Amino acid sequence: RSSDLLTVSVKPAKMRCYAEGTQEIGHDLNLKCETKEGSPPLTYRWEKITGTQKLPATAQTLAPGVVLLTNASVDYSGTYKCTSENRVGSESCLLVLNVGYPSNRAAKIAGAVIGTLLGVLLVALVVYFCCRKQKEKKYEKEIQQRSEE
């Protein structure tokens, strides 16, 4: 009696595309895509589908599904597509990059410090004038009591 071996192959499915790193000018970014299902061997291919429709010149494939973009610029912004393939089929996912100017952290910190100091100063002034008003009322009462005597 002979036994037959049945091999079932599964096309790539349940893909996830994401970026690691700060999407700011001058920073490095990793574009990553993963396939949760699919029979090996799986191949991955990244492409830019908007703008120049070419991966930036600095793009380096680090591992299957992982592309490093170094020294990001505004030109890197756009929609990227990762396709995973095997002999049974393929699946794709999209990733939108919005590379912008770095946020001015020093200005934000300075603004927060100045705002806090102004708030403390305002509270101190309110307390000072309330205490002063209390003393004036107390002084007026004393004068009024002395004049009644």
Side-chain angles (χ1 to χ4, degrees):
R1 180 178 170 156
S2 73
S3 65
D4 292 329
L5 180 64
L6 175 66
T7 303
V8 177
S9 295
V10 178
K11 80 175 202 118
K14 297 185 180 178
M15 284 195 64
R16 177 177 171 234
C17 287
Y18 59 100
E20 284 184 347
T22 306
Q23 292 185 34
E24 293 178 347
I25 293 172
H27 289 262
D28 294 346
L29 295 165
N30 280 318
L31 307 185
K32 294 187 171 188
C33 68
E34 302 170 342
T35 305
K36 297 292 182 195
E37 296 177 4
S39 301
L42 292 168
T43 60
Y44 294 90
R45 182 180 71 251
W46 275 101
E47 59 188 313
K48 187 174 182 189
I49 59 173
T50 56
T52 61
Q53 296 193 343
K54 291 182 180 177
L55 286 178
T58 63
Q60 302 170 25
T61 301
L62 299 181
V66 181
V67 171
L68 171 65
L69 304 180
T70 57
N71 196 23
S73 74
V74 175
D75 296 336
Y76 290 18
S77 296
T79 304
Y80 292 79
K81 177 179 166 183
C82 179
T83 303
S84 176
E85 287 182 292
N86 64 10
R87 61 186 175 166
V88 185
S90 66
E91 182 73 19
S92 298
C93 59
L94 300 177
L95 170 66
V96 177
L97 281 187
N98 290 307
V99 178
Y101 293 95
S103 58
N104 191 343
R105 289 180 181 89
K108 287 180 183 177
I109 292 169
V113 168
I114 289 170
T116 302
L117 290 175
L118 287 174
V120 168
L121 178 63
L122 181 63
V123 169
L125 285 173
V126 168
V127 169
Y128 170 77
F129 284 114
C130 286
C131 289
R132 187 172 168 187
K133 194 71 172 168
Q134 284 272 331
K135 285 182 181 179
E136 284 178 8
K137 285 183 180 180
K138 187 176 178 184
Y139 179 72
E140 286 174 5
K141 278 186 180 180
E142 286 178 13
I143 291 178
Q144 197 174 31
Q145 286 175 352
R146 287 182 186 164
S147 64
E148 290 176 359
E149 289 176 359

